[in-house]
Amino acid sequence: MKAPGEGGAADHRPVTVPRVQELGGVFLLDTQHMGYHGTVGVFVLPGPGGTFALIESGPGSTLETVLTGIREAGFEPEKLAAVLVTHIHLDHAGAAGALARRFDAEVYVHENGAGHLLEPERLLASAARIYGDQMEALWGVMEGTPQGLLRPVRDGEPLEILGHRLDVLYTPGHASHHVSYLLDKALLFTGDAAGVRLPGSSVVRPALPPPEVDLESWSRSIQAMRQLHPQALLLTHFGRVDDPEAHFRELEHWHQVWSESVLEGMRAGEDDAALAARINRLSRDALAADGASADTIERHRVTSNDEMTVMGLKRYWQKKHPERLS
Ligand SMILES: [Zn+2]
C-alpha cells in the first residue's frame, strides 16, 4: 500500500524487473504501479486450451499494464476464467470487478470480503480517508463485481480451477478476511500474509497498514502456512521465495521488533512523525546491512510505508493491548 505524495523521487531509478517472469508453472506480471518496478504483482495460472486464471488483479490504475502483460505471457485476455484475490485491499483486488465484467470471469474471495467486492463504496470511502486526493492517481477506478460472478471461499475449501487443485488457507492478521492459496500442494500464494520482499534485497518487510492489523492472529497464520510445508512462497510484493522457513522466521523477527519499537515510542509520548522515523531507521538499517541500493530502499518504503505502518500498529496496540500503553 502506498501513501499520497510518494512516487517520483529524484534518485528514482527502477531496478530491472521484467514485465513477465516464468516462475515454475505460473507467470508473474509486474503491474509497474506508479512507475515502480517489482512492487505489486499479479500471477497468471495457465489452464487447458489457452485458458488461465489470475491470482490477484492489481489496482484499477494498472489494468491496461496487466492486460499487456497477459498478452506478453502468451494468453488472450478473453480466455480469463477466474480471478482469485487474497484480500480486498486496492493493490490486490482493485481491478477484480472490471476484469469480471469485461471477461465474464469468476472472482474468488474470502466470504467476509465478498460484500466489499460486490459494493466497493464503503471500502473506497475508507481508503479515501487515508489517500485523499491521491486516490484516483494511485488506485484508479474500482468497479463492483456482479453477484453472479462472486465465489466466496472459506478456510480449508479445496478448489478445482482449470484442472489445478487450490487449497484455501485462512490467514488473517494483515486483514481479517485474508486468505492464501496453495497450488497443487506446492506453491503458496501469500498475498500480504508473508509480508513484503522485493527484488534487490532479501530483507523481509512487514505489511502493517490500518485498520485490521492483529499480530496474534498473524502469528497463528504463519504457523498455519508453515504446516502446509510449501515448496515456495509467491509474494504479491514481489516474487518467489524458495526458503519459506527462513522467510517466516525473519517476518516474525521484524513483527516483534517493529511493534515493540512503536510501543516504546507511544509510551514515551512520541508524535506520529517520531514513530515513523523509528520504522524508517529500522528499515533503512536492515536494508543497508543487506547491501540494498537507494532505489531498493525507496521501493520498500513505498510498498508498505512508514506512516501507514505507524497508523496500523498504533491502532493495534490501542485496540488489542491498551494495558501495555501505560
Ligand atoms: Zn498489499
Side-chain angles (χ1 to χ4, degrees), residues 1 87 89 91-92 174 191-192 207 236-237 303:
M1 302 287 273
H87 62 301
H89 290 169
D91 48 336
H92 298 256
H174 175 85
D192 286 343
T236 304
H237 317 287
T303 305

Side-chain angles (χ1 to χ4, degrees), residues 182 185-188 225-233 244 248:
L182 181 67
K185 302 278 180 197
L187 301 177
L188 185 62
M225 290 189 282
R226 274 192 172 110
Q227 280 161 12
L228 296 178
H229 302 293
Q231 192 185 98
L233 310 178
F248 287 136

Side-chain angles (χ1 to χ4, degrees), residues 36 39 54 65 83 96 132 137 158 164 175 178 180 184 192 203 206 236 256 289 314 321 326:
Y36 288 96
T39 63
L54 295 179
T65 310
V83 182
H164 296 280
H178 194 293
S180 301
D184 297 331
D192 286 343
V203 171
T236 304
Q256 168 85 14
K314 271 180 76 172
H321 298 284
S326 49

Side-chain angles (χ1 to χ4, degrees), residues 2 14-21 27-44 57-59 62-70 72 198-199 236-239 299:
K2 297 173 175 67
V15 294
T16 317
V17 176
R19 183 153 51 199
V20 179
Q21 293 179 62
F27 296 89
L28 169 57
L29 311 181
D30 187 355
T31 66
Q32 301 175 348
H33 188 221
M34 301 304 282
Y36 288 96
H37 287 226
T39 63
V40 180
V42 169
F43 295 94
V44 177
S57 69
T62 64
L63 178 56
E64 291 308 318
T65 310
V66 168
L67 293 177
T68 302
I70 287 169
E72 284 178 9
L198 303 180
T236 304
H237 317 287
F238 181 97
R299 283 159 51 249

